[in-house]
Amino acid sequence: MDRLVVVSNRVAAPTDTKATAGGLAVALQDALRQKGGIWFGWSGKTAARTPLEPSITGVGKVEYATLDLSRKDLEEYYNGYANRTLWPLFHYRLDLTGFNKQDYSGYLRVNTMFAHALAPLLEGKDTIWIHDYHLIPLGSELRHQGIERPMGFFLHTPFPTTEILTALPSHATLIEHLCAYDLLGFQTENDLRAFRDYIVHEAGGGLMSENRVHAYGRTLRAEVFPIGIDTADFEKLGQRSARSALAKRLDVTSHGIQRVIGVDRLDYSKGIVERFQAFERFLETRPAYRGKVQLTQIAPPSRAEVPEYKEITRTLEAEAGRVNGRLADFDFVPINYLNQSFKRQDLAVFYRKSRAGLVTPLRDGMNLVAKEYVAAQDPKDPGVLILSRFAGAARELDRGALIVNPFDFESTAEAIAQALEMPQEERIDRHKVMLKVLHDNTLDHWRDRFLTILAEAPFE
Ligand code: F6P
Protein backbone atom coordinates (compact mmCIF):
# COMPACT_ATOMS: atom_id res chain seq x y z
CA MET A 1 0.00 0.00 0.00
CA ASP A 2 1.20 3.56 -0.71
CA ARG A 3 2.62 5.34 2.32
CA LEU A 4 1.38 8.68 3.59
CA VAL A 5 3.81 11.44 4.49
CA VAL A 6 2.34 14.23 6.61
CA VAL A 7 4.31 17.45 7.08
CA SER A 8 3.30 20.17 9.51
CA ASN A 9 5.13 22.75 11.56
CA ARG A 10 4.27 20.92 14.78
CA VAL A 11 4.33 17.14 14.97
CA ALA A 12 2.13 15.23 17.40
CA ALA A 13 4.12 13.16 19.90
CA PRO A 14 4.04 9.44 19.07
CA THR A 15 2.59 8.79 22.53
CA ASP A 16 -0.30 11.26 22.16
CA THR A 17 -3.73 9.76 22.73
CA LYS A 18 -7.18 11.17 22.09
CA ALA A 19 -7.13 12.68 25.56
CA THR A 20 -3.92 14.63 25.08
CA ALA A 21 -3.71 15.32 21.34
CA GLY A 22 -5.96 17.60 19.34
CA GLY A 23 -8.53 15.96 17.07
CA LEU A 24 -6.49 16.76 13.96
CA ALA A 25 -3.45 14.95 15.32
CA VAL A 26 -5.57 11.89 16.07
CA ALA A 27 -7.13 11.84 12.59
CA LEU A 28 -3.76 12.15 10.87
CA GLN A 29 -2.20 9.56 13.16
CA ASP A 30 -5.03 7.14 12.32
CA ALA A 31 -4.36 7.55 8.60
CA LEU A 32 -0.63 7.11 9.15
CA ARG A 33 -1.20 3.98 11.19
CA GLN A 34 -3.42 2.46 8.50
CA LYS A 35 -1.15 3.24 5.55
CA GLY A 36 2.21 3.46 7.28
CA GLY A 37 4.36 6.51 6.69
CA ILE A 38 6.10 9.51 8.17
CA TRP A 39 5.06 12.58 10.13
CA PHE A 40 7.70 15.23 9.56
CA GLY A 41 8.15 18.70 11.07
CA TRP A 42 9.72 20.89 13.73
CA SER A 43 10.46 19.17 17.04
CA GLY A 44 9.20 22.15 19.05
CA LYS A 45 12.76 22.55 20.45
CA THR A 46 15.71 24.80 19.74
CA ALA A 47 19.33 23.71 19.37
CA ALA A 48 22.67 25.48 18.91
CA ARG A 49 22.27 24.90 15.17
CA THR A 50 19.60 23.32 12.98
CA PRO A 51 20.79 19.77 12.27
CA LEU A 52 20.90 18.50 8.69
CA GLU A 53 19.17 15.26 9.52
CA PRO A 54 15.98 14.74 11.52
CA SER A 55 15.77 12.56 14.58
CA ILE A 56 13.45 9.67 13.96
CA THR A 57 11.26 7.71 16.36
CA GLY A 58 9.46 4.69 14.99
CA VAL A 59 6.17 3.43 16.35
CA GLY A 60 4.79 0.48 14.36
CA LYS A 61 4.49 1.44 10.72
CA VAL A 62 4.84 5.16 11.50
CA GLU A 63 8.01 7.22 11.76
CA TYR A 64 8.05 10.60 13.50
CA ALA A 65 10.87 12.62 11.95
CA THR A 66 11.57 15.96 13.60
CA LEU A 67 14.17 18.70 13.30
CA ASP A 68 15.23 21.04 16.07
CA LEU A 69 15.66 24.63 14.93
CA SER A 70 18.42 27.07 15.78
CA ARG A 71 17.32 30.24 17.62
CA LYS A 72 17.89 32.28 14.46
CA ASP A 73 15.88 29.89 12.28
CA LEU A 74 13.03 29.79 14.80
CA GLU A 75 13.05 33.55 15.15
CA GLU A 76 12.96 34.28 11.42
CA TYR A 77 10.82 31.38 10.19
CA TYR A 78 8.24 30.85 12.97
CA ASN A 79 8.13 34.00 15.13
CA GLY A 80 9.01 36.16 12.13
CA TYR A 81 7.65 35.43 8.69
CA ALA A 82 5.03 32.80 9.65
CA ASN A 83 3.59 34.61 12.65
CA ARG A 84 4.40 38.31 12.13
CA THR A 85 3.83 38.41 8.39
CA LEU A 86 1.65 35.62 7.03
CA TRP A 87 -0.60 35.04 10.05
CA PRO A 88 -1.78 38.66 10.45
CA LEU A 89 -1.96 39.17 6.68
CA PHE A 90 -4.04 36.00 6.16
CA HIS A 91 -6.32 37.21 8.98
CA TYR A 92 -6.86 40.59 7.33
CA ARG A 93 -4.73 42.47 9.88
CA LEU A 94 -2.56 44.61 7.62
CA ASP A 95 -2.14 46.95 10.58
CA LEU A 96 -0.23 44.19 12.43
CA THR A 97 1.62 42.77 9.42
CA GLY A 98 5.38 43.33 9.46
CA PHE A 99 7.47 42.79 6.32
CA ASN A 100 11.10 42.06 6.83
CA LYS A 101 13.60 40.65 4.28
CA GLN A 102 15.57 38.78 6.89
CA ASP A 103 12.49 36.93 8.17
CA TYR A 104 11.49 36.12 4.61
CA SER A 105 14.86 34.61 3.79
CA GLY A 106 14.76 32.67 7.09
CA TYR A 107 11.34 31.31 6.12
CA LEU A 108 12.62 30.18 2.71
CA ARG A 109 15.81 28.79 4.28
CA VAL A 110 13.92 26.63 6.80
CA ASN A 111 11.58 25.36 4.08
CA THR A 112 14.62 24.44 1.97
CA MET A 113 16.24 22.69 4.95
CA PHE A 114 13.03 20.77 5.58
CA ALA A 115 12.99 19.65 1.93
CA HIS A 116 16.64 18.52 2.11
CA ALA A 117 15.99 16.60 5.32
CA LEU A 118 12.74 15.04 4.11
CA ALA A 119 13.64 14.08 0.51
CA PRO A 120 16.02 11.19 1.45
CA LEU A 121 13.28 9.65 3.62
CA LEU A 122 10.76 9.49 0.76
CA GLU A 123 9.95 6.34 -1.20
CA GLY A 124 8.69 5.90 -4.75
CA LYS A 125 5.03 5.40 -3.85
CA ASP A 126 4.55 8.02 -1.14
CA THR A 127 1.74 10.54 -1.08
CA ILE A 128 2.74 13.80 0.57
CA TRP A 129 0.33 16.02 2.50
CA ILE A 130 1.70 19.35 3.73
CA HIS A 131 -0.17 21.57 6.19
CA ASP A 132 -0.49 25.29 6.71
CA TYR A 133 1.07 28.65 6.06
CA HIS A 134 4.45 27.86 7.63
CA LEU A 135 5.27 25.48 4.81
CA ILE A 136 3.93 26.98 1.58
CA PRO A 137 7.30 26.78 -0.30
CA LEU A 138 8.06 23.22 0.84
CA GLY A 139 6.31 21.58 -2.11
CA SER A 140 8.29 23.43 -4.74
CA GLU A 141 11.52 22.84 -2.79
CA LEU A 142 10.72 19.10 -2.86
CA ARG A 143 10.03 19.32 -6.60
CA HIS A 144 13.53 20.86 -6.97
CA GLN A 145 14.86 17.80 -5.16
CA GLY A 146 13.29 15.68 -7.92
CA ILE A 147 10.19 14.54 -5.98
CA GLU A 148 7.38 13.97 -8.48
CA ARG A 149 4.92 12.19 -6.17
CA PRO A 150 1.38 13.54 -5.57
CA MET A 151 1.61 16.46 -3.20
CA GLY A 152 -1.30 18.13 -1.44
CA PHE A 153 -1.43 21.26 0.68
CA PHE A 154 -4.17 22.22 3.12
CA LEU A 155 -4.42 25.78 4.39
CA HIS A 156 -5.95 25.85 7.88
CA THR A 157 -6.19 29.65 7.93
CA PRO A 158 -8.24 31.95 5.71
CA PHE A 159 -6.83 32.79 2.27
CA PRO A 160 -7.05 36.58 1.90
CA THR A 161 -8.55 38.49 -1.00
CA THR A 162 -6.23 39.74 -3.73
CA GLU A 163 -6.39 43.31 -2.38
CA ILE A 164 -4.93 42.14 0.95
CA LEU A 165 -2.56 39.53 -0.45
CA THR A 166 -0.90 41.90 -2.90
CA ALA A 167 0.22 44.05 0.02
CA LEU A 168 2.78 41.29 0.66
CA PRO A 169 5.99 42.21 -1.19
CA SER A 170 6.70 38.54 -2.02
CA HIS A 171 3.13 37.60 -2.95
CA ALA A 172 3.93 36.48 -6.52
CA THR A 173 6.70 34.10 -5.43
CA LEU A 174 4.60 32.75 -2.57
CA ILE A 175 1.67 31.90 -4.81
CA GLU A 176 3.94 30.43 -7.45
CA HIS A 177 5.25 28.11 -4.70
CA LEU A 178 1.67 27.25 -3.78
CA CYS A 179 0.99 26.21 -7.36
CA ALA A 180 3.73 23.53 -7.18
CA TYR A 181 1.24 21.29 -5.33
CA ASP A 182 -1.19 18.97 -7.12
CA LEU A 183 -4.10 19.61 -4.78
CA LEU A 184 -4.84 22.70 -2.70
CA GLY A 185 -7.42 22.52 0.07
CA PHE A 186 -9.17 25.57 1.51
CA GLN A 187 -11.61 25.82 4.41
CA THR A 188 -14.42 27.72 2.69
CA GLU A 189 -15.78 28.85 -0.68
CA ASN A 190 -14.63 32.39 0.23
CA ASP A 191 -11.03 31.26 0.52
CA LEU A 192 -11.18 29.27 -2.71
CA ARG A 193 -12.79 32.22 -4.50
CA ALA A 194 -10.00 34.51 -3.27
CA PHE A 195 -7.36 32.07 -4.53
CA ARG A 196 -9.02 31.67 -7.93
CA ASP A 197 -9.40 35.42 -8.20
CA TYR A 198 -5.67 35.85 -7.59
CA ILE A 199 -4.83 33.21 -10.21
CA VAL A 200 -6.93 34.95 -12.85
CA HIS A 201 -6.24 38.60 -12.05
CA GLU A 202 -2.66 38.56 -10.71
CA ALA A 203 -1.01 35.36 -11.87
CA GLY A 204 -2.36 35.46 -15.43
CA GLY A 205 -3.59 31.88 -15.00
CA GLY A 206 -6.85 30.28 -16.03
CA LEU A 207 -9.74 28.36 -14.49
CA MET A 208 -10.61 24.99 -15.97
CA SER A 209 -13.31 22.39 -15.39
CA GLU A 210 -13.46 20.13 -12.30
CA ASN A 211 -11.87 22.65 -9.96
CA ARG A 212 -8.66 22.71 -11.93
CA VAL A 213 -6.61 25.84 -12.33
CA HIS A 214 -3.73 26.42 -14.70
CA ALA A 215 -0.95 28.71 -13.52
CA TYR A 216 2.82 29.01 -13.74
CA GLY A 217 2.89 26.26 -16.38
CA ARG A 218 1.14 23.66 -14.21
CA THR A 219 -2.39 22.34 -13.79
CA LEU A 220 -3.56 21.67 -10.25
CA ARG A 221 -6.83 21.20 -8.40
CA ALA A 222 -8.09 23.64 -5.77
CA GLU A 223 -11.12 22.71 -3.68
CA VAL A 224 -13.00 23.38 -0.48
CA PHE A 225 -12.53 20.88 2.36
CA PRO A 226 -14.13 22.32 5.51
CA ILE A 227 -12.30 20.66 8.39
CA GLY A 228 -14.49 18.75 10.85
CA ILE A 229 -14.13 17.34 14.35
CA ASP A 230 -14.36 13.87 15.85
CA THR A 231 -18.06 14.45 16.47
CA ALA A 232 -18.79 11.12 18.16
CA ASP A 233 -15.89 11.60 20.55
CA PHE A 234 -17.05 15.07 21.64
CA GLU A 235 -20.62 13.81 22.02
CA LYS A 236 -19.29 11.05 24.24
CA LEU A 237 -17.19 13.49 26.30
CA GLY A 238 -20.27 15.70 26.65
CA GLN A 239 -22.41 12.80 27.88
CA ARG A 240 -19.78 11.71 30.39
CA SER A 241 -19.17 15.24 31.59
CA ALA A 242 -22.15 15.29 33.98
CA ARG A 243 -20.47 12.68 36.18
CA SER A 244 -17.09 14.41 36.34
CA ALA A 245 -15.56 16.00 39.42
CA LEU A 246 -15.16 19.26 37.51
CA ALA A 247 -18.90 19.35 36.71
CA LYS A 248 -19.66 18.95 40.38
CA ARG A 249 -17.26 21.74 41.31
CA LEU A 250 -18.80 24.02 38.70
CA ASP A 251 -22.27 23.31 40.09
CA VAL A 252 -21.18 24.12 43.62
CA THR A 253 -19.31 27.31 42.74
CA SER A 254 -21.77 28.77 40.24
CA HIS A 255 -24.49 29.61 42.82
CA GLY A 256 -27.13 29.45 40.09
CA ILE A 257 -25.27 31.93 37.87
CA GLN A 258 -25.66 31.05 34.18
CA ARG A 259 -22.49 30.62 32.19
CA VAL A 260 -21.54 31.88 28.73
CA ILE A 261 -18.30 30.32 27.49
CA GLY A 262 -15.44 31.41 25.24
CA VAL A 263 -12.46 29.14 24.50
CA ASP A 264 -9.65 30.41 22.28
CA ARG A 265 -5.92 30.37 21.87
CA LEU A 266 -4.79 33.79 23.09
CA ASP A 267 -4.70 35.42 19.66
CA TYR A 268 -5.80 38.85 18.40
CA SER A 269 -7.69 37.17 15.55
CA LYS A 270 -10.11 35.60 18.02
CA GLY A 271 -11.87 38.87 18.89
CA ILE A 272 -11.62 38.36 22.65
CA VAL A 273 -11.27 42.08 23.44
CA GLU A 274 -14.39 42.81 21.40
CA ARG A 275 -16.15 39.89 23.13
CA PHE A 276 -15.36 41.33 26.58
CA GLN A 277 -16.73 44.67 25.42
CA ALA A 278 -19.88 43.06 23.99
CA PHE A 279 -20.42 41.24 27.28
CA GLU A 280 -19.93 44.51 29.14
CA ARG A 281 -22.55 46.11 26.86
CA PHE A 282 -24.90 43.19 27.49
CA LEU A 283 -24.72 43.64 31.29
CA GLU A 284 -24.82 47.41 31.04
CA THR A 285 -27.92 47.56 28.86
CA ARG A 286 -29.74 44.68 30.58
CA PRO A 287 -29.16 45.26 34.30
CA ALA A 288 -31.55 42.45 35.26
CA TYR A 289 -28.82 40.03 34.17
CA ARG A 290 -26.19 41.53 36.48
CA GLY A 291 -25.21 38.97 39.07
CA LYS A 292 -26.96 36.26 37.04
CA VAL A 293 -24.76 35.62 33.98
CA GLN A 294 -21.01 35.21 33.83
CA LEU A 295 -18.63 34.98 30.86
CA THR A 296 -16.01 32.28 31.41
CA GLN A 297 -13.17 32.96 28.99
CA ILE A 298 -10.51 30.28 28.63
CA ALA A 299 -7.49 31.62 26.72
CA PRO A 300 -4.25 29.61 26.91
CA PRO A 301 -1.12 31.65 26.05
CA SER A 302 0.14 31.27 22.50
CA ARG A 303 3.20 32.41 20.47
CA ALA A 304 4.36 34.28 23.53
CA GLU A 305 7.63 35.48 21.95
CA VAL A 306 5.85 37.46 19.24
CA PRO A 307 5.40 41.12 20.30
CA GLU A 308 1.79 41.37 19.05
CA TYR A 309 0.87 38.42 21.28
CA LYS A 310 2.56 40.05 24.28
CA GLU A 311 0.49 43.12 23.52
CA ILE A 312 -2.85 41.30 23.23
CA THR A 313 -2.07 39.47 26.48
CA ARG A 314 -1.64 42.81 28.27
CA THR A 315 -4.72 44.28 26.63
CA LEU A 316 -6.91 41.38 27.67
CA GLU A 317 -5.71 41.46 31.26
CA ALA A 318 -6.48 45.16 31.36
CA GLU A 319 -9.91 44.76 29.72
CA ALA A 320 -10.99 41.91 32.00
CA GLY A 321 -9.86 43.99 34.99
CA ARG A 322 -11.64 47.09 33.72
CA VAL A 323 -14.96 45.33 33.04
CA ASN A 324 -14.82 43.46 36.34
CA GLY A 325 -13.89 46.66 38.17
CA ARG A 326 -16.94 48.40 36.72
CA LEU A 327 -19.54 45.67 36.98
CA ALA A 328 -18.50 43.20 39.71
CA ASP A 329 -20.25 42.90 43.05
CA PHE A 330 -19.05 41.36 46.31
CA ASP A 331 -20.57 38.03 45.21
CA PHE A 332 -20.32 38.31 41.42
CA VAL A 333 -17.47 38.59 38.89
CA PRO A 334 -18.72 39.25 35.34
CA ILE A 335 -15.69 37.85 33.49
CA ASN A 336 -13.94 34.75 34.74
CA TYR A 337 -10.74 35.01 32.70
CA LEU A 338 -8.65 31.83 32.72
CA ASN A 339 -5.26 32.24 31.10
CA GLN A 340 -4.56 28.52 30.95
CA SER A 341 -5.25 25.40 28.92
CA PHE A 342 -7.62 22.58 29.86
CA LYS A 343 -7.80 18.96 28.72
CA ARG A 344 -10.37 18.02 26.09
CA GLN A 345 -12.59 16.27 28.61
CA ASP A 346 -12.59 19.33 30.87
CA LEU A 347 -13.45 21.60 27.94
CA ALA A 348 -16.41 19.33 27.21
CA VAL A 349 -17.61 19.93 30.79
CA PHE A 350 -17.34 23.71 30.38
CA TYR A 351 -19.19 23.50 27.04
CA ARG A 352 -21.98 21.33 28.44
CA LYS A 353 -22.40 23.56 31.49
CA SER A 354 -22.70 26.77 29.45
CA ARG A 355 -26.00 28.15 28.22
CA ALA A 356 -24.27 29.87 25.31
CA GLY A 357 -21.00 29.43 23.42
CA LEU A 358 -19.49 32.74 22.31
CA VAL A 359 -17.30 32.10 19.28
CA THR A 360 -16.66 35.53 17.85
CA PRO A 361 -13.35 35.68 15.95
CA LEU A 362 -12.66 38.72 13.80
CA ARG A 363 -11.42 36.25 11.17
CA ASP A 364 -10.87 32.49 11.42
CA GLY A 365 -10.14 29.71 8.96
CA MET A 366 -12.71 27.37 10.50
CA ASN A 367 -12.87 27.49 14.34
CA LEU A 368 -13.27 24.03 15.76
CA VAL A 369 -14.40 25.31 19.18
CA ALA A 370 -17.73 26.22 17.53
CA LYS A 371 -18.14 22.61 16.41
CA GLU A 372 -16.94 21.11 19.68
CA TYR A 373 -19.34 23.29 21.66
CA VAL A 374 -22.28 21.98 19.61
CA ALA A 375 -21.23 18.33 19.80
CA ALA A 376 -20.77 18.45 23.59
CA GLN A 377 -24.31 19.74 24.28
CA ASP A 378 -27.16 17.74 25.78
CA PRO A 379 -29.51 17.27 22.78
CA LYS A 380 -32.52 17.48 25.12
CA ASP A 381 -31.46 20.78 26.65
CA PRO A 382 -28.73 22.27 24.45
CA GLY A 383 -26.98 25.60 24.75
CA VAL A 384 -26.96 28.15 21.94
CA LEU A 385 -24.00 28.82 19.68
CA ILE A 386 -23.29 32.50 19.00
CA LEU A 387 -20.99 32.54 16.00
CA SER A 388 -19.07 35.23 14.14
CA ARG A 389 -19.89 35.56 10.47
CA PHE A 390 -16.11 35.75 9.92
CA ALA A 391 -15.42 32.20 11.17
CA GLY A 392 -15.25 29.53 8.46
CA ALA A 393 -17.64 27.47 10.62
CA ALA A 394 -20.40 30.03 9.94
CA ARG A 395 -20.63 28.66 6.37
CA GLU A 396 -21.80 25.32 7.75
CA LEU A 397 -23.57 26.24 10.99
CA ASP A 398 -25.50 29.32 9.91
CA ARG A 399 -28.89 27.60 10.10
CA GLY A 400 -28.51 26.70 13.77
CA ALA A 401 -26.24 29.33 15.30
CA LEU A 402 -26.99 32.97 16.03
CA ILE A 403 -24.70 34.66 13.53
CA VAL A 404 -23.15 37.94 14.67
CA ASN A 405 -20.79 40.61 13.43
CA PRO A 406 -18.10 40.70 16.17
CA PHE A 407 -17.25 44.34 15.38
CA ASP A 408 -20.81 45.29 16.34
CA PHE A 409 -21.00 45.06 20.16
CA GLU A 410 -24.73 45.76 20.11
CA SER A 411 -25.53 42.80 17.89
CA THR A 412 -23.39 40.46 20.00
CA ALA A 413 -24.97 41.76 23.23
CA GLU A 414 -28.40 41.26 21.64
CA ALA A 415 -27.49 37.69 20.63
CA ILE A 416 -26.37 36.87 24.19
CA ALA A 417 -29.77 37.98 25.48
CA GLN A 418 -31.54 36.07 22.70
CA ALA A 419 -29.58 32.91 23.54
CA LEU A 420 -30.42 33.14 27.25
CA GLU A 421 -34.09 33.73 26.53
CA MET A 422 -34.49 31.18 23.75
CA PRO A 423 -37.23 28.60 24.37
CA GLN A 424 -36.04 25.03 24.83
CA GLU A 425 -37.88 23.84 21.70
CA GLU A 426 -36.04 26.32 19.49
CA ARG A 427 -32.72 25.43 21.11
CA ILE A 428 -33.37 21.76 20.38
CA ASP A 429 -34.27 22.46 16.75
CA ARG A 430 -31.23 24.62 16.14
CA HIS A 431 -28.94 22.10 17.81
CA LYS A 432 -30.34 19.22 15.74
CA VAL A 433 -29.61 21.05 12.47
CA MET A 434 -26.02 21.77 13.52
CA LEU A 435 -25.35 18.28 14.87
CA LYS A 436 -26.45 16.80 11.54
CA VAL A 437 -23.85 18.95 9.77
CA LEU A 438 -21.21 17.69 12.21
CA HIS A 439 -22.22 14.07 11.63
CA ASP A 440 -22.17 14.52 7.86
CA ASN A 441 -18.73 16.13 7.80
CA THR A 442 -16.47 14.61 10.43
CA LEU A 443 -12.72 14.98 10.66
CA ASP A 444 -12.29 11.48 9.18
CA HIS A 445 -14.54 12.41 6.28
CA TRP A 446 -12.47 15.57 5.66
CA ARG A 447 -9.20 13.60 5.71
CA ASP A 448 -10.47 10.76 3.52
CA ARG A 449 -11.96 13.10 0.91
CA PHE A 450 -8.72 15.04 0.64
CA LEU A 451 -6.59 11.91 0.31
CA THR A 452 -8.99 10.29 -2.19
CA ILE A 453 -8.80 13.26 -4.51
CA LEU A 454 -5.05 13.59 -4.03
CA ALA A 455 -4.64 9.94 -5.05
CA GLU A 456 -5.94 10.92 -8.53
CA ALA A 457 -3.03 13.33 -9.12
CA PRO A 458 -1.49 14.48 -11.43
CA PHE A 459 -4.32 16.57 -12.84
CA GLU A 460 -2.64 17.67 -16.07
O1 F6P B 1 -3.95 27.07 11.72
C1 F6P B 1 -3.65 27.57 12.97
C2 F6P B 1 -2.54 26.86 13.71
O2 F6P B 1 -1.30 27.00 13.09
C3 F6P B 1 -2.81 25.39 13.93
O3 F6P B 1 -2.28 24.57 12.93
C4 F6P B 1 -2.19 25.18 15.27
O4 F6P B 1 -2.79 24.13 15.96
C5 F6P B 1 -2.45 26.48 15.98
O5 F6P B 1 -2.49 27.45 14.98
C6 F6P B 1 -1.45 26.73 17.10
O6 F6P B 1 -0.40 27.51 16.68
P1 F6P B 1 1.12 27.32 17.10
O7 F6P B 1 1.59 26.04 16.49
O8 F6P B 1 1.78 28.52 16.55
O9 F6P B 1 1.15 27.25 18.60
Side-chain angles (χ1 to χ4, degrees), residues 8 56 71 147 189 236 259 262 283 325 327 351 401 449 451:
S8 57
I56 299 179
R71 261 273 128 214
I147 308 296
E189 283 293 339
K236 212 184 306 151
R259 179 173 289 103
L283 289 180
L327 299 172
Y351 294 146
R449 209 183 124 235
L451 290 175

Side-chain angles (χ1 to χ4, degrees), residues 9-10 78 83 87 132-134 156-157 265 302-303:
N9 175 55
R10 286 188 195 271
Y78 174 78
N83 286 320
W87 178 270
D132 235 351
Y133 58 101
H134 316 82
H156 291 254
T157 69
R265 243 180 348 93
S302 173
R303 305 174 190 166

Side-chain angles (χ1 to χ4, degrees), residues 1-6 24-39 61-62 129 444 447-448 451:
M1 195 195 269
D2 300 355
R3 294 193 319 171
L4 175 64
V5 176
V6 172
L24 175 65
V26 173
L28 294 177
Q29 263 165 340
D30 279 353
L32 282 165
R33 260 182 235 122
Q34 281 161 28
K35 294 169 189 284
I38 306 175
W39 194 334
K61 290 194 289 178
V62 187
W129 190 4
D444 287 358
R447 175 200 65 202
D448 294 344
L451 290 175

